[in-house]
Amino acid sequence: MKIKIREWNWNVFGDVRLKMQKAEEDVKATSLLSDRNPEDITLLNNLVTARGRQELANEQYKAILHQKSREKWLKEGTTNTISFHTSVKIRQATNAISELEEDSGSIVIDQKRITHILEQHFENKFKYQEVNMADEIFDATPELITQDDNRMMEAIPTNEEIRAVVFQLKAYSAPGPYGFPSFFYKFHGI
């Protein structure tokens, strides 16, 4: 059965690598012909057809490679797992800190000592420290708002001021360009 399937595959699909190579050569040849006479629609159609055949051959080759990779994994699954674990170990070794230079200039290779040095470094780095504010820095910024303007902006409006502003609004309007009350009143003919 296996032999018959191989024969069928060869007769139907042939050597896909050769098909890819021939399709690439056809695209180059038709491209050169089309470039020499860009106004000829027949040559342009031939180029499009050649590119389509090339794309089809490429897709067939990708499908074959995909199937072969699955077949290899099924046959050699444990080998692939060993390869994966080896690559992970190599990556871990690359990312590990094997030696560290202290502030004094001496090199430390003991892992416990390296761990202690790194812990101390980050504890000192993120330890709470008192911050001294330099108030003189604010003297350099210009005052754009006076103290009287600032008091006026911070003041809470009185009930009378709010009432006066609200009653200044038109009866059929609302704040904003698409206010609901104005639409409501116009719709109902009020």
Side-chain angles (χ1 to χ4, degrees), residues 41-69:
I41 300 298
T42 306
L43 292 176
L44 184 61
N45 287 338
N46 291 343
L47 177 60
V48 170
T49 304
R51 285 189 177 165
R53 276 191 238 117
Q54 181 187 27
E55 186 65 29
L56 183 62
N58 286 341
E59 290 300 318
Q60 286 177 344
Y61 187 66
K62 286 179 188 176
I64 288 171
L65 289 179
H66 185 69
Q67 276 183 320
K68 285 184 178 182
S69 69

Side-chain angles (χ1 to χ4, degrees), residues 42-103:
T42 306
L43 292 176
L44 184 61
N45 287 338
N46 291 343
L47 177 60
V48 170
T49 304
R51 285 189 177 165
R53 276 191 238 117
Q54 181 187 27
E55 186 65 29
L56 183 62
N58 286 341
E59 290 300 318
Q60 286 177 344
Y61 187 66
K62 286 179 188 176
I64 288 171
L65 289 179
H66 185 69
Q67 276 183 320
K68 285 184 178 182
S69 69
R70 282 185 173 182
E71 182 180 319
K72 182 178 179 183
W73 184 84
L74 289 173
K75 286 180 184 176
E76 304 170 7
T78 57
T79 307
N80 289 339
T81 304
I82 292 169
S83 172
F84 171 75
H85 286 290
T86 303
S87 69
V88 169
K89 286 178 183 176
I90 289 171
R91 191 176 315 128
Q92 285 175 342
T94 304
N95 292 336
I97 298 173
S98 58
E99 59 183 40
L100 187 69
E101 183 178 352
E102 288 185 295
D103 292 334

